[in-house]
Every structure is written in C-alpha cells, then in structure tokens.
Amino acid sequence: MQRQTRITNNQFAKNLIKTTTDFIDRTFDINFGDNNPTKLMQMPTNQLDLLAQQSLQNKYLVVVTMLNEEQFQGKLIKSVTPNKYIMKITSGFYKIFEINELKSINLASI
C-alpha cells in the first residue's frame, strides 16, 4: 500500500511539473540565457500609430522600444505632429520620438 501511495505521489508531482512548464511555455516568452532582443521584428507603422494614439488618449503606462533597442517606460503626454510624440519618463525626463524610430509599443505591467 505504501509503495502504491509513493508511486501515485510521484506521478502527481510529474504531472504538476509538466502542466506548470507547459503553461509557462505557452504564456510567457522566456528565453533563459538568450538576451538578444534583436530577434524582435518591428511592428507595422499603422499599428504603432494606433497604439500611440490609444496610449495618449487613455494615458496608459507603456514601454517603447526604439530601433536601436533602447527602451523607455512612461506615459505619452502630447502629440506634436501626427507622427511625433512626447513621452514623460520621470518628473524631469522626457523623450521625444517619431513613430518611424520605434520598434514596438507595449503596455507596461504595474
């Protein structure tokens, strides 16, 4: 009976580990040991423009990734032209960028 319980517990642990790793693999983009962000493709310009407009209107906290792989986190506070935005990073630091300089815009997790 004790051997049967041990086998059942072992199978339960294996199933739990497999289910958890499958969930992580499907849900998160984790590349351990591979810190090469250049694999990310540039979002289409019309998608970047739409996300920038929505982020500005809704005051979302976003992360922008520039073509040179620099990342900035903040809120878009003003549209200077249809393709140029001002982003507030901190109380004293602002970033001005054009849509064609961006690789991606993503919502920042809080």
Side-chain angles (χ1 to χ4, degrees):
M1 180 68 174
Q2 188 178 22
R3 182 168 168 18
Q4 181 65 30
T5 304
R6 193 176 316 144
I7 291 171
T8 304
N9 287 342
N10 191 18
Q11 188 61 39
F12 174 75
K14 285 180 182 177
N15 288 341
L16 180 63
I17 291 169
K18 178 162 178 28
T19 304
T20 305
T21 55
D22 287 347
F23 172 76
I24 291 170
D25 194 36
R26 284 190 318 270
T27 308
F28 303 102
D29 185 17
I30 299 174
N31 295 317
F32 293 110
D34 184 16
N35 193 8
N36 188 0
T38 58
K39 292 180 183 178
L40 297 174
M41 296 189 53
Q42 184 177 15
M43 287 181 168
T45 306
N46 58 349
Q47 184 179 8
L48 288 168
D49 186 44
L50 178 63
L51 289 171
Q53 289 174 18
Q54 289 176 346
S55 299
L56 177 64
Q57 290 170 358
N58 297 314
K59 299 178 182 166
Y60 292 142
L61 182 63
V62 294
V63 175
V64 295
T65 303
M66 309 302 283
L67 290 174
N68 64 359
E69 304 301 333
E70 284 184 297
Q71 287 189 331
F72 300 96
Q73 180 174 323
K75 292 185 180 183
L76 300 181
I77 59 169
K78 186 173 183 179
S79 175
V80 179
T81 66
N83 293 322
K84 188 181 265 185
Y85 292 88
I86 299 174
M87 175 184 226
K88 183 176 183 179
I89 310 293
T90 64
S91 62
F93 184 61
Y94 296 84
K95 174 74 177 163
I96 300 172
F97 62 87
E98 292 185 10
I99 292 294
N100 61 359
E101 298 173 330
L102 296 181
K103 185 177 261 191
S104 66
I105 297 176
N106 298 298
L107 291 176
S109 57
I110 297 174

